Structures are given as C-alpha cells and as structure tokens.
Amino acid sequence: MIEDKNPQRTSLEELGEFGLIDHLTRNFEIKQTSTIKSIGDDAAVLDFESSQVVVTTDLLIENVHFDLSYVPLKHLGYKAVMVNLSDVYAMNANATQITVSIAVSNRFPLEALEDLYAGIETAAKLYNIDVVGGDTTSSTTGLIISITAIGTAKKDKLVYRSGAKPNDLLVVTGDLGAAYMGLQVLEREKEVFKVNPQNQPDLSPYTYIVERQLKPEARKDIIELLDKLEVKPTSMIDISDGLSSEVLHLCKHSDLGVEIYENKIPLDPQVISTCEEFNIDSTTIALNGGEDYELLMTISQDDFPKIKGNPNLTVIGYMTEKDRGTLLITRGEQAIPIIAKGWNAMKNED
Ligand code: ADP
Ligand code: MG
C-alpha cells in the first residue's frame, strides 16, 4: 500500500490559486502523442485523428463517497482515477487523458493535496495517461473531486451495453466482493479505534480485501488481453455497483434475460473467510457488494475456445431470451430472480 507521509502543514492561502495549481501539477509528464496542448492554456487540445473518442466523468464527495478517517489521501487520488479509467475500459477503449477538478476547504493543508496528487500521479504513470487540465476552487464543507477521463478506440472496437445476444456467455474478470468486505473490516476498525484510540488494528488477515477497497485497479490488462486473444465482447460494463445491478443493465440494454450459476461466481478465499467471520452470505456480497471495478461482459459461444482456461476470465452464466427472466441458479439448483441490491430476496431463500 502507499502511505501518506507529509507531517508538515502549509496553509493553502500562502500559495494562492495559481501557485497551488502550478505546484500540484509540476511533475505531470506528457506521454500520449494525442496530447497537443496540456495544462497551462484556457483549454487542452487533443488530436485523435480517425479514432472515436469516449468521455466519462465521476464526482466524489467527502462523507458520501469516501471517509477520510480511514482512506489515506494518496489512495483516494489513485482510486478517483481508477473509477474513471474503469469506465473507459468498459467501452473496450484505451484511456489517454484525464482532467482533475477539486473543491477544497482551507481545513486542508497543502501537504494533504500533495498526497492526493501523488496518488493521481502514480495512477497516471502506471496507466500511461496524461493529466491535461482541471479546475481548482474552494469549498465551505468537505473535499470534492471530479475526474473526467478521455479514451479512444477504432469504431469497430467499441463495446456497448446493448450488444448481447441469446446464448452468449456471461464472463466476469477477477473475483467479486472483496472491496465490500474490505470496507466492512475498515469500518469495524474505525469503531474499535473510536472506543480505544490506543488499539492498533491488525489488518494482516485482511490485506487482500483492504487493498481491493483502498487501491482498486482498473482492468486495462483485460482490454489488452481481449485484443491479443482476438475476442470482441458483444456487450460489456464495469462492476461498480455489484454484479446483480450491472448484469441487469446488460439485460435491459440488450433486451435479454440471464442465468447466473452461484457455484461459478469467483470469490477470493479471504472473502469467504471474512464473510464467515461477519456471518454474511458470500454470494450476497458478490452480487451486491460493489466497487470491485472488474469487467462483466458477454461473448459469443464461438469465442469460448479462445478464453477457455484463462485465469482472468470466468464464465458465470449465459444470456437467455427476455421472457426467461433474470435468474440466479443456486447451489441447490433453485432459480431465484436477480434483483438489484437483492439482500432480502437472497436472505429469504437461505
Ligand atoms: P481558467 O481560469 O481558464 O479556468 P485556471 O486558472 O482554472 O484556468 O487553470 C489554469 C490551467 O490549470 C488550465 O490549463 C487548467 O486546466 C489547469 N488546472 C486548474 N486546476 C487544475 C487541477 N486541480 N488539476 C490539474 N490541472 C488544473
Ligand atoms: Mg478554472
């Protein structure tokens, strides 16, 4: 994990707005040939020649989307970028640039923003994207971060939510539920800390799930893998709200139904053991947990031999005609309707 290490406190007023922007953006390098003009003019200039351009934006608000009592600012900066890149990759596009806008109250010292920007810079370096602009303003309450990501793809490469066909395989990347269980552990430790601030939490049994919550990775590697395997998904979406919510989006936009097999849903052993400890059903967490930033896609059955055995890609079900409904087939071979945030429906069947 990346640590915040900025013990100093320099007030933002000392720098002024332009000094602050210059300071925070001083290390950003330009890597993309499509970036013609970056930070420093009234607008950035980009040149994508004959590619199509995808644009996506997200707004993150303190105490709504993040809690600074257990999220280090460096991680927050990193995660704010990942959330956006994940949306670009979900279009089967290549992310190229971002803009970063922040509203910040003067309760934050310069060093806090340096940490935030260190996380943004790390993400930009690792994912080979340019930070080409943004806006900086003051806030009377908490911290607000808005990131816009830009990407490109050739027209015939773009994948929408709407392209799935009956009998297409439903495929998910990585594993599910870890980010949510990481959050449960962090929230429990926060409560323990409130009661006894001397108590140092031992997070070692939870390293994977806590890292998945604090430092998620957008699946750029999957877009490259699909390209290499010569597989173009028929539809795709990233998993930000949980598998059930996202699969219902694919069904709705493609006008189809789905069957998902409970015993095929990929879970990390740490998710299973932490769910046991918290006495929560791991399937419920995988379906509704959210913030996994994995990709959920459908592929034609003809492409199955190309993905077969790949540890990054798990077939969890298949698309059906709409009138068959949206179903989870449980380990006990019961068919349960999938509903977004289906906590109660799941619980009742157990
Ligand atoms: P304007 O007054 O035209 O909005 P600004 O003074 O806000 O311009 O910004 C100057 C330059 O710095 C612009 O290129 C802008 O995109 C960039 N910029 C401003 N704030 C940020 C930020 N928080 N992160 C990255 N770039 C920023
Ligand atoms: Mg501005």
Side-chain angles (χ1 to χ4, degrees):
M1 273 192 251
I2 29 187
E3 302 295 331
D4 289 337
K5 38 174 162 339
N6 258 332
Q8 275 178 287
R9 290 183 70 87
T10 309
S11 116
L12 292 181
E13 280 134 31
E14 280 176 45
L15 284 118
E17 184 191 332
F18 301 119
L20 175 64
I21 296 170
D22 286 347
H23 183 78
L24 292 176
T25 61
R26 70 195 182 285
N27 293 327
F28 289 143
E29 287 166 23
I30 298 306
K31 291 154 295 221
Q32 296 284 343
T33 51
S34 54
T35 305
I36 306 301
K37 177 76 199 177
S38 181
I39 293 169
D41 213 308
D42 297 309
V45 180
L46 310 175
D47 181 356
F48 294 114
E49 297 173 357
S50 58
S51 289
Q52 298 218 329
V53 179
V54 303
V55 180
T56 175
T57 197
D58 266 291
L59 185 58
L60 299 175
I61 307 220
E62 186 177 351
N63 297 330
V64 177
H65 303 102
F66 57 89
D67 182 339
L68 289 177
S69 58
Y70 53 73
V71 179
L73 278 155
K74 217 178 235 185
H75 288 74
L76 180 64
Y78 192 89
K79 184 169 176 173
V81 177
M82 287 310 129
V83 170
N84 278 277
L85 298 189
S86 181
D87 282 319
V88 173
Y89 301 137
M91 300 301 293
N92 203 31
N94 175 37
T96 47
Q97 286 89 9
I98 57 170
T99 64
V100 180
S101 297
I102 53 172
V104 52
S105 71
N106 51 19
R107 102 176 134 88
F108 290 88
L110 172 66
E111 287 74 16
L113 296 185
E114 283 177 345
D115 283 334
L116 180 76
Y117 268 73
I120 293 170
E121 197 187 327
T122 303
K125 272 219 179 86
L126 275 173
Y127 283 76
N128 200 32
I129 48 161
D130 297 343
V131 183
V132 295
D135 201 17
T136 308
T137 185
S138 57
S139 145
T140 50
T141 52
L143 177 64
I144 300 173
I145 308 168
S146 176
I147 295 189
T148 297
I150 295 162
T152 65
K154 293 286 174 213
K155 190 175 179 179
D156 61 355
K157 286 265 178 183
L158 284 171
V159 174
Y160 297 89
R161 295 177 179 185
S162 54
K165 297 279 175 289
N167 299 319
D168 281 354
L169 300 173
L170 183 69
V171 175
V172 70
T173 64
D175 54 71
L176 299 178
Y180 181 85
M181 289 317 293
L183 182 64
Q184 299 314 300
V185 168
L186 288 170
E187 283 184 342
R188 181 179 69 184
E189 296 311 322
K190 182 184 166 183
E191 292 309 312
V192 172
F193 184 80
K194 270 190 198 157
V195 178
N196 182 4
Q198 256 64 267
N199 199 321
Q200 283 294 318
D202 177 18
L203 294 179
S204 56
Y206 311 107
T207 43
Y208 177 68
I209 60 175
V210 167
E211 182 118 0
R212 290 277 284 170
Q213 168 59 221
L214 292 180
K215 196 169 166 287
E217 301 291 345
R219 300 303 309 255
K220 176 189 172 113
D221 60 326
I222 297 294
I223 302 313
E224 292 163 355
L225 175 68
L226 291 171
D227 192 52
K228 202 180 85 194
L229 297 174
E230 296 179 0
V231 174
K232 184 190 171 192
T234 52
S235 69
M236 186 151 61
I237 189 168
D238 72 320
I239 303 185
S240 51
D241 293 338
L243 174 62
S244 58
S245 165
E246 314 302 357
V247 79
L248 292 180
H249 285 305
L250 293 184
C251 288
K252 179 175 169 229
H253 288 269
S254 298
D255 208 25
L256 293 178
V258 71
E259 271 187 22
I260 296 181
Y261 293 87
E262 182 183 20
N263 64 356
K264 302 284 185 202
I265 298 174
L267 300 173
D268 186 84
Q270 232 172 62
V271 170
I272 296 171
S273 60
T274 313
C275 280
E276 279 169 8
E277 188 188 331
F278 280 72
N279 199 18
I280 322 179
D281 175 46
S282 56
T283 302
T284 308
I285 297 312
L287 285 171
N288 304 307
E291 294 201 292
D292 289 314
Y293 300 107
E294 295 295 343
L295 294 170
L296 180 69
M297 67 191 88
T298 55
I299 67 161
S300 158
Q301 300 236 5
D302 298 341
D303 282 333
F304 179 64
K306 299 184 195 165
I307 67 150
K308 195 177 161 197
N310 192 300
N312 290 293
L313 304 169
T314 309
V315 179
I316 58 169
Y318 69 100
M319 306 308 282
T320 61
E321 297 291 349
K322 189 181 182 179
D323 59 15
R324 299 257 312 266
T326 57
L327 299 172
L328 177 76
I329 311 300
T330 67
R331 288 192 184 85
E333 293 181 6
Q334 271 185 300
I336 303 177
I338 296 169
I339 49 171
K341 311 273 179 227
W343 284 85
N344 296 328
M346 288 293 305
K347 284 262 160 68
N348 293 344
E349 293 299 328
D350 284 344

